[in-house]
Each structure stands twice: as structure tokens, then as C-alpha cells.
Amino acid sequence: MHVNTGSSGAPARVVAVVGSGASGILTTIQLIEQAGDVDIKGRLRIQVFDRDGDLARGPAYGTLHDCHILNMRASTMSMYADRPEHFCDWMNVQFREDGGAVSGDAYVPRSRYGRYLREQLLNAVEGAQRQGVEVEFVTAEVTDCLPGSGKALVQCGDVMYPCDAAVLCSGDIAGNRFPQLTDTPGYISSAWQYEAIAGIHQSRSVAVIGSSLTAVDVLVMLDALGHRGEIHCVSRLRSLPKVQGPPSPWELQYVTRERVEKLTEHGTRQAALAEIAALYRQEVELATGTAVDWAAVLGSAHRPVADTLPEDIREAAEGRNRWYAALDATGHLAPYLWNRMDDSSKDVFLARYASLWAMYRHSMPLPNAEKIWRMVREGQLHAHTGFRSVTRASGRSHTLTYVADGREHEITADYVVNATGASPDITELDDPLISNLLHAGRLRPHRHGGIDVDFATGQVIGLDGTASMPMYFVGPLTRGVHFYTHSVETLRTNAAATARALLRDLD
């Protein structure tokens, strides 16, 4: 689709946005909104590339199953920082026929949020004329981005599109964690293969590898489809996520930018993990009103779900898990805090504590927790930590091993679903654009996962350690630099920063 909103005159400055998921949509909107704030010599033309031409159809919001709900309440999902109620207001207009106002506390189907993203982009495009901006949607798979006389060349097969700057907005890409199972019957290589999961026979046994919110999505989908067979959820280090409590605003006292600036002497030194952890400990203990038994917290990762989930649900339903309010209040600071920590501390955190952190920080919505508890209570769902291996057995069956109580155990399952999510190692990704850029040295893996970019601008750093190309990246794959890269808040912030830097350089 081509939308011509420009005017005749000076040659347009061209910006390519590669990807039309949440990251690409947020970036395009920011480019349009900020275009009027800079004096670009010539018109601005934005080309939005997408392989299938479907807006917001990535893994997160492309699902058509209403059991896949947002993991955050509706009140936190506005695309606009200055209009926090925008998404709820939009919902109440679009779905008023469903009866009653949509509460800001609701967890709505993710497909509706995808519709919201698409509509906001198209609205922004319609209004782009007032900014002198031309927008074109190109249905093509981008396979490379090459340097060209200080500019960039976006390659789609044999076709080259010259541009003044390119913003890559690849979303989550599943890694090939279990190559030994590739193309084997009964193996589903990604939790985002919704049609394949829907094709699982209801009476067959299923093993879900992983214990994050991605795994929760698989479990609730199987439940919604009426699955009757036995399900095993296996993971290496920790059990299923904790449960979100009711919204409870919390004003941070310890984990604040001011305290961290003082701690790091205004950025002249990096903080150690112990220093940042101490601030979090004080914050959580203030919120809960009691000293935290950190040994018990660490041990909770391996406790049986049958023991922990009922109490987690009760605490959430009664609003007694004040720790969640404190952790949730730090979300907007997570990239900044990560940037202020030294590399060795990040190494330790990722190796020892990241999984436990995610268990508490990325808690599951109460409605999902109640569904999972019913599956556990009825003896259908079993969760295990200590996962070691998975192999193909005879026929369609697979054998999984895990270690518990010092002994190795085996599980046999007809189907295996890889729900470990996106791989932090970009060398594992089956993506032609990332692979070609990596092999050419135009981007490099980040030490802590994903790709390396400039923290403030998102400009991609090449193998030589420089950001020499007018190529930027916005999205989950900047996780090594920004750490917390899946929230709309972080994506919105990064998209705004990249648009600002890019347009300034075009000025």
C-alpha cells in the first residue's frame, strides 16, 4: 500500500523502517510526530518494509486466540506517554457492544492490542501530510542492509532500495535450541506456531520446555482447546512465574535515578550488582513492611507448583504481594539501571539470577494462574525443574530427562513444544537479515545477548566497534544493551530516542 502525503519540491530524505510489528509501528509513529520538530532539508519519506504486508502480526499480537491475553493490565498499554488512558479509551469505543466499560485493570486479548497498533499507525499516516511526510508500505522481505556513500541500501532479494537511514525493527525470533529434533514428528519448534499447537490431538501427552510467560501461553492455549492429555512443563532452573496482584501504585524510595546517580558518582563509575541489589532489597522490604527471607526467595525457584501456586494466587487475589507493586514501579528504570552496572556484574546476574528475577518480575496475570492451578489440581499438569535433555524415542514419542532430589527422572511425551522463547544468541537465529549483517560484520553480538547498539540512540555497532552506518535498531534484540526490551514503555522510549537521533542527523 502506498500513501502519498508529501508535496513537490526538494528531493525527499528517505528512512527505511524494516518490520511492522510493535517496534516498527512505534518507530514509524515517532518519526512522523517528530518530523515537524526538525528542519529537514527536503521532505521526509518513510518506507515501511514487511515480508507479509500484515501490520502487527508478529508473535506477540498476531495470535487469533483470545486465551492469549496481555501480560500487563490495559491501563499500562497506551502507545502515548502523555496519554496514559489512550488504550482504555480506544477499547471503550471499539468494543462498547460487548457491554460495560473496559476496566484499566483488565487483561484484554492480545489480538485486540494488535488491532490498536494497526489503527494508530494508519491514523498517524493519514495525519502525516501536515508534517510534510510521505509514507509507503512495501511488501517484501529485507535480506540485507548495505553501506552506500554515507547512506544505506536496503536489499530485498535482487532489488535495492536506497535510503538515508534504516531502522531495523525485528521482533522476537525463535532460536533453534534443539536441532536434534528438527523435522521430527510431534516436535513444535516454537510456542508461536499457533496452528501447529492447535493441531495437537486432545488426548496425547505434551511436554512444554520452558517456564516463562511464553510457556504459560502454551498451557492456557491447550486448556482453551480442551486438551485432555497429560502435560509436563519442564525447565532448567525455576518453576512457573509468580502471580500479579491488583494494581497498587508505589512511589519509589530507594530504586531511584537520583540514588543511582549518587551511587555511581554521576556516571563516572559503574555500579556493582551488590549495590543495585541492596537498593532493590530496601525497596521491597519497605513495600512489604517486613524483612525478606532471601534464602527462601532463592529456594522458591525449585519448590513444587502444587505447593506454591495456591498461596501465590491467594496473595495476589487479596493484594498481599506488595513486592510486585515495588518491582513493577521500577520498570521504566530497568534499561538505565542495566546501563549503570559494570559488565562483570551483568555476567553474574545473567548466569545466576536472571531466571529467578524473571520469575518474580514477569509474573503471570491472575486469570492465567487460576487456569493453571485447575490443571495442576486435576492432575493434568506437572511442572519440573532440573531439565537436562530431550531426545526422539520411537514413533512420535520423545524422552525428556530432569534431575530432582539428586536422581534423574524420565518423561515420555507424544508432542514437545519449545517454549523457551527468543534466543539471546543471534548466531542461532534463522533470519536472513540478521545472518547477512552478522557475517558481513555490519553488526556484532552483544556480550549480554542480542545485538550491540548505542544505548542512547540505538545506532548499530559493527564488528569493528564503531557505529559508522546510518543503521539503527529498535526492538527486543537490543536486550544486551537495554535489558528490559519487551515492554511497550521501553519500546516507546527507544523508538522516540532513535527517531530523535536519526532526524537530527538528517537535519
Side-chain angles (χ1 to χ4, degrees):
M1 177 174 62
H2 180 270
V3 182
N4 188 350
T5 60
S7 59
S8 61
R13 309 301 295 274
V14 181
V15 177
V17 177
V18 181
S20 65
S23 303
I25 288 173
L26 287 164
T27 299
T28 302
I29 290 176
Q30 284 296 324
L31 287 167
I32 293 171
E33 290 188 345
Q34 294 188 39
D37 298 332
V38 295
D39 183 21
I40 299 173
K41 296 176 176 62
R43 294 172 293 113
L44 177 65
R45 182 182 179 200
I46 304 171
Q47 291 180 309
V48 182
F49 292 81
D50 187 85
R51 181 181 59 192
D52 302 313
D54 288 335
L55 304 177
R57 294 296 188 189
Y61 308 118
T63 174
L64 299 178
H65 298 272
D66 283 352
C67 63
H68 289 145
I69 58 177
L70 294 172
N71 287 311
M72 299 297 291
R73 291 178 172 83
S75 60
T76 69
M77 296 297 291
S78 172
M79 289 177 60
Y80 308 99
D82 59 342
R83 288 173 281 170
E85 299 301 320
H86 189 270
F87 177 56
C88 290
D89 292 342
W90 177 87
M91 284 280 296
N92 282 319
V93 171
Q94 297 296 321
F95 300 100
R96 67 179 68 180
E97 70 277 4
D98 291 352
V102 176
S103 167
D105 298 343
Y107 299 96
V108 302
R110 293 209 299 263
S111 59
R112 292 189 177 184
Y113 195 74
R115 177 174 165 182
Y116 171 67
L117 289 170
R118 291 190 292 275
E119 185 173 305
Q120 298 314 302
L121 175 60
L122 295 178
N123 288 343
V125 169
E126 286 181 6
Q129 184 173 8
R130 293 188 296 273
Q131 307 288 355
V133 176
E134 179 183 352
V135 181
E136 178 186 2
F137 293 89
V138 183
T139 301
E141 181 177 20
V142 175
T143 55
D144 209 345
C145 188
L146 301 93
S149 301
K151 299 184 179 183
L153 298 169
V154 172
Q155 182 174 357
C156 302
D158 296 330
V159 181
M160 293 287 190
Y161 293 82
C163 60
D164 294 277
V167 188
L168 311 184
C169 298
S170 303
D172 278 323
I173 305 171
N176 187 15
R177 299 283 180 89
F178 307 104
Q180 72 275 20
L181 300 182
T182 300
D183 297 326
T184 61
Y187 174 59
I188 299 173
S189 61
S190 167
W192 304 318
Q193 292 179 315
Y194 303 125
E195 290 186 7
I197 294 172
I200 294 176
H201 194 281
Q202 291 182 334
S203 64
R204 299 291 186 179
S205 57
V206 180
V208 179
I209 303 178
S211 59
S212 67
L213 293 172
T214 303
V216 171
D217 279 348
V218 176
L219 298 177
V220 297
M221 183 175 176
L222 289 171
D223 180 60
L225 292 169
H227 191 81
R228 301 186 302 274
E230 195 170 41
I231 304 171
H232 292 269
C233 189
V234 297
S235 61
R236 289 193 310 116
L237 299 174
R238 52 93 164 180
S239 190
L240 293 168
K242 294 293 184 179
V243 184
Q244 294 180 26
S248 181
W250 177 253
E251 186 175 345
L252 295 169
Q253 301 295 317
Y254 293 98
V255 185
T256 65
R257 188 178 291 267
E258 292 74 21
R259 284 183 180 266
V260 174
E261 284 296 299
K262 183 177 180 180
L263 181 68
T264 61
E265 299 170 10
H266 299 283
T268 59
R269 76 171 187 89
Q270 298 292 91
L273 176 59
E275 293 174 311
I276 299 297
L279 296 178
Y280 269 95
R281 176 172 184 157
Q282 290 172 296
E283 197 73 63
V284 171
E285 291 185 342
L286 180 63
T288 58
T290 184
V292 176
D293 184 346
W294 294 104
V297 171
L298 293 171
S300 67
H302 303 287
R303 290 183 61 198
V305 168
D307 294 342
T308 60
L309 192 53
E311 179 60 24
D312 290 345
I313 290 174
R314 282 194 296 270
E315 282 194 355
E318 297 169 8
R320 291 189 288 117
N321 56 352
R322 295 288 301 165
W323 52 266
Y324 178 74
L327 293 181
D328 189 47
T330 69
H332 69 290
L333 289 173
Y336 161 77
L337 295 170
W338 186 251
N339 182 250
R340 282 291 193 256
M341 263 200 318
D342 64 69
D343 282 342
S344 60
S345 290
K346 294 174 185 176
D347 292 339
V348 172
F349 176 83
L350 291 174
R352 299 182 185 177
Y353 305 113
S355 184
L356 182 67
W357 163 263
M359 181 179 177
Y360 279 84
R361 176 63 188 91
H362 305 304
S363 303
M364 63 177 137
L366 181 59
N368 283 347
E370 291 171 336
K371 293 175 183 177
I372 288 174
W373 170 232
R374 174 176 47 76
M375 297 167 74
V376 171
R377 189 173 64 246
E378 293 175 354
Q380 181 187 24
L381 174 63
H382 312 272
H384 317 277
T385 58
F387 170 65
R388 290 294 180 270
S389 66
V390 55
T391 56
R392 170 112 181 264
S394 59
R396 292 182 64 94
S397 66
H398 302 79
T399 300
L400 299 91
T401 62
Y402 69 97
V403 174
D405 301 322
R407 297 185 298 110
E408 186 171 274
H409 303 261
E410 284 191 354
I411 300 167
T412 299
D414 298 312
Y415 291 86
V416 172
V417 181
N418 174 11
T420 57
S423 172
D425 182 358
I426 62 173
T427 65
E428 291 184 355
L429 303 182
D430 183 17
D431 181 85
L433 175 59
I434 300 298
S435 296
N436 287 332
L437 290 170
L438 182 64
H439 292 151
R442 290 190 285 275
L443 62 73
R444 66 180 183 182
H446 192 275
R447 170 176 175 173
H448 300 117
I451 71 168
D452 200 3
V453 300
D454 178 78
F455 176 80
T457 68
Q459 190 166 7
V460 174
I461 297 174
L463 194 60
D464 62 358
T466 67
S468 57
M469 272 187 69
M471 180 170 66
Y472 302 78
F473 202 104
V474 175
L477 286 181
T478 68
R479 59 194 296 172
V481 176
H482 297 118
F483 180 62
Y484 188 31
T485 55
H486 282 86
S487 75
V488 168
E489 183 178 40
T490 300
L491 292 176
R492 186 180 63 206
T493 298
N494 291 349
T498 292
R500 189 178 307 115
L502 185 158
L503 292 172
R504 182 190 62 227
D505 290 343
L506 292 182
D507 188 358

